[in-house]
């Protein structure tokens, strides 16, 4: 990736990477590819910062062939750096220079160079650099310029077309550049200037069972309130 202008695959054997793995080149004409994601079918999505494009490297029967088909997805990007894909095939892009997070709905793929299919999600971002999506359709953003991690909240599995709820998660970040989310809903952040990887625990806590007369260790809760009256 990066200045080499290439996207590579490190090939697993029986589900794990061997000590001396095979490394395949999946395309070498990109210009500063910055973000990559893969869907359940094996298709690879590339945020190509230098070209200002988002590409799909198309899998066949679950893997990328020797001479793959490469599609351009949407248009109107300037400096895409982060990309993610949900279970339905919708693609989410962090466009750093435009300070926007965008969605390419699966219904628009593979409509090449179709800017009408690219939908901005909310506003108020500053140089977003990374993006991730959970199984509920919520989108998480490493909002680098604001030194914040944000969640664009899905409703019934998708982001509302207008005025989506955007939450700021945690604090203390300094130019976060990457974000991902696990199956339990916990969020992991590459916090650039703090030289740290941090976890935001969003999954529901498991209290377990406690015998009568005993106590649990202290538990800390963070709440976000939205109201038009004094709390």
């Amino acid at each position: 990736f990066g200045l080499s202008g290439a996207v590579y695959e490190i090939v697993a054997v029986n589900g794990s990477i061997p000590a001396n793995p095979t490394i395949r080149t999946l395309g070498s004409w990109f210009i500063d590819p910055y973000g990559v994601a893969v869907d359940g079918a094996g298709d690879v999505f590339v945020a190509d910062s230098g070209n200002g494009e988002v590409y799909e490297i198309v899998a066949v029967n679950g893997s990328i062939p020797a001479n793959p088909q490469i599609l351009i997805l949407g248009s109107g990007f300037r400096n895409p750096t982060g990309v993610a894909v949900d279970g339905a095939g919708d693609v989410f892009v962090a466009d750093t220079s435009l300070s926007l997070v965008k969605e390419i709905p699966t219904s628009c793929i593979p409509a090449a160079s179709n800017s009408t299919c690219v939908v901005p999600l909310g506003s108020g971002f500053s140089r977003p650099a990374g993006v991730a999506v959970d199984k509920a359709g919520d989108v998480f953003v490493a909002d680098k310029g604001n030194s914040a991690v944000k969640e664009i909240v899905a409703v019934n599995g998708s982001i509302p077309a207008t005025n989506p709820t955007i939450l700021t998660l945690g604090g203390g970040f300094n130019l976060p550049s990457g974000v991902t989310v696990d199956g339990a809903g916990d969020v992991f952040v590459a916090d650039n200037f703090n030289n740290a990887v941090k976890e935001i625990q969003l999954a529901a806590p498991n209290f377990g069972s406690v015998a009568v007369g005993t106590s649990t260790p202290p538990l800390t809760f963070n709440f976000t309130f939205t109201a038009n009256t004094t709390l």
Side-chain angles (χ1 to χ4, degrees):
F1 59 58
L3 295 179
S4 68
V7 174
Y8 300 101
E9 175 187 4
I10 304 172
V11 181
V13 177
N14 298 323
S16 62
I17 302 297
N20 296 297
T22 298
I23 300 178
R24 300 178 57 212
T25 301
L26 304 184
S28 58
W29 48 267
F30 302 102
I31 301 177
D32 200 13
Y34 210 92
V36 66
V38 61
D39 66 13
D43 304 304
V44 177
F45 300 85
V46 181
D48 190 356
S49 177
N51 277 316
E53 301 282 9
V54 177
Y55 297 99
E56 177 184 0
I57 306 173
V58 181
V60 177
N61 298 324
S63 62
I64 304 297
N67 296 296
Q69 181 184 17
I70 300 179
L71 306 175
I72 297 175
L73 304 184
S75 65
F77 301 104
R78 182 177 298 174
N79 183 23
T81 56
V83 63
V85 58
D86 67 13
D90 304 304
V91 178
F92 301 88
V93 182
D95 194 338
T96 301
S97 289
L98 293 178
S99 289
L100 291 172
V101 176
K102 301 178 180 180
E103 178 184 1
I104 309 171
T106 187
S107 59
C108 294
I109 300 173
S113 301
N114 188 346
S115 62
T116 62
C117 280
V118 180
V119 182
L121 301 180
S123 61
F125 302 105
S126 177
R127 294 165 50 217
V131 65
V133 58
D134 67 11
K135 59 186 177 182
D138 304 303
V139 177
F140 299 87
V141 183
D143 195 7
K144 194 171 184 178
N146 285 316
S147 286
V149 176
K150 298 181 179 179
E151 176 185 0
I152 309 173
V153 181
V155 176
N156 297 323
S158 62
I159 304 298
T162 58
N163 299 319
T165 298
I166 300 177
L167 307 176
T168 298
L169 307 180
F173 299 105
N174 193 346
L175 301 183
S177 59
V179 63
T180 191
V181 58
D182 67 13
D186 297 313
V187 179
F188 300 85
V189 183
D191 194 2
N192 196 324
F193 267 35
N194 282 323
N195 293 319
V197 176
K198 300 179 179 179
E199 177 183 3
I200 305 172
Q201 294 182 328
L202 295 182
N206 182 2
F207 296 103
S209 59
V210 180
V212 174
T214 62
S215 61
T216 66
L219 298 173
T220 300
F221 297 90
N222 294 318
F223 295 93
T224 299
F225 294 95
T226 302
N228 57 8
T229 59
T230 302
L231 181 64

